[in-house]
């Protein structure tokens, strides 16, 4: 699969594969256990997910997400994600051996930044990140995220791990590339690195 155009990428990154994060969020920014607070999933949500994953041919997973998913997705019929996640190479970051037998899984013990930069420099389409809250935060801290696609449910959870916790490196300048509202009130938001390069910009406010 040819790498999508990155004409809006900052200088020095134009030929690199994109790292693309997809995450389900509550209104108060919680990404943990979406099954507990995401009550309505419209057809538009599945279509949005399908558009995001159609350009991805590698997936990065944290160990917690791997352990949570390895017994579910291999036998799931929930599309379009089941076929995608089962057939796509999965790079699982962990210091311990993988205990599952998931198709196309690969243990990664190298530092996150080193492994991801090596993938970016190779051939292929986008590199997806799904679930994996801690891994997403590490990629954001290393300034390696090119796109964020967020499904924001109309629910306030009041507790749980947030995707963007207090103290995360920032501010990070992004450009909104898409937004829509589903019939159930779920927001579908897409962001990309800004034309200024997505660098951290000192706040003047």
């Amino acid at each position: 699969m040819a790498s999508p155009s990155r004409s809006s990428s900052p200088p020095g990154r134009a030929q690199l594969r994109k790292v693309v994060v997809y995450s389900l969020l509550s209104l108060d920014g919680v990404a943990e256990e979406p099954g507990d607070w995401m009550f309505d999933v419209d057809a538009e949500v599945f279509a949005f997910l399908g558009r995001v994953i159609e350009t991805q041919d590698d997936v990065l997973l944290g160990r917690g997400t791997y352990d949570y998913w390895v017994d579910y997705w291999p036998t799931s019929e929930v599309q379009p994600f089941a076929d995608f996640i089962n057939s796509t190479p999965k790079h699982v970051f962990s210091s311990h051996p993988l205990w599952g037998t998931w198709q196309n899984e690969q243990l990664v013990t190298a530092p996150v930044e080193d492994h991801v930069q090596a993938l970016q420099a190779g051939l292929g389409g986008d590199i997806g990140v799904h679930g994996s809250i801690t891994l997403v935060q590490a990629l954001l801290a290393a300034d390696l995220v090119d796109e964020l696609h967020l499904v924001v449910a109309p629910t306030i959870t009041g507790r749980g791990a947030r995707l963007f916790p207090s103290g995360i490196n920032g501010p990070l300048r992004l450009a909104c590339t898409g937004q829509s509202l589903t019939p159930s009130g779920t927001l579908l938001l897409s962001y990309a690195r800004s034309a200024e390069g997505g660098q951290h910009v000192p706040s003047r406010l």
Side-chain angles (χ1 to χ4, degrees):
M1 183 185 300
S3 178
S5 171
R6 300 186 61 177
S7 59
S8 61
S9 298
R13 294 177 60 93
Q15 302 305 313
L16 298 180
R17 299 170 67 191
K18 292 187 294 185
V19 173
V20 176
V21 171
Y22 176 91
S23 185
L24 308 179
L25 295 180
S26 67
L27 270 180
D28 51 341
V30 171
E32 184 180 16
E33 297 292 352
D36 292 345
W37 43 261
M38 192 161 189
F39 303 111
D40 300 299
V41 182
D42 309 272
E44 289 84 352
V45 173
F46 288 105
F48 181 61
L49 172 60
R51 292 192 295 273
V52 172
I53 63 178
E54 69 182 358
T55 58
Q56 298 178 4
D57 53 20
D58 280 285
V59 169
L60 310 178
L61 295 177
R63 182 56 190 258
T65 296
Y66 169 84
D67 287 343
Y68 198 64
W69 286 2
V70 68
D71 284 335
Y72 176 78
W73 284 111
T75 58
S76 174
E77 296 181 358
V78 178
Q79 303 298 349
F81 198 68
D83 285 350
F84 163 75
I85 197 65
N86 290 324
S87 62
T88 303
K90 292 167 281 292
H91 305 255
V92 184
F93 292 89
S94 179
S95 57
H96 303 288
L98 304 179
W99 55 270
T101 55
W102 203 356
Q103 179 185 7
N104 296 317
E105 65 179 34
Q106 174 188 336
L107 174 66
V108 180
T109 58
V112 170
E113 189 169 350
D114 293 347
H115 186 77
V116 173
Q117 287 178 332
L119 284 176
Q120 286 183 299
L123 299 176
D126 293 343
I127 302 165
V129 192
H130 298 269
S132 310
I133 299 170
T134 302
L135 177 59
V136 171
Q137 292 167 353
L139 293 168
L140 286 168
D143 200 23
L144 290 174
V145 174
D146 294 287
E147 293 182 3
L148 285 163
H149 299 278
L150 307 176
V151 177
V152 184
T155 309
I156 296 173
T157 69
R159 63 183 183 275
R162 287 170 168 75
L163 189 64
F164 310 116
S166 176
I168 196 169
N169 250 359
L172 176 63
R173 182 175 292 181
L174 300 170
C176 184
T177 58
Q179 55 184 322
S180 62
L181 182 68
T182 75
S184 71
T186 298
L187 280 169
L188 308 178
L189 303 172
S190 294
Y191 296 92
R193 297 172 67 92
S194 74
E196 286 76 14
Q199 73 272 20
H200 305 300
V201 182
S203 175
R204 302 299 183 189
L205 301 179

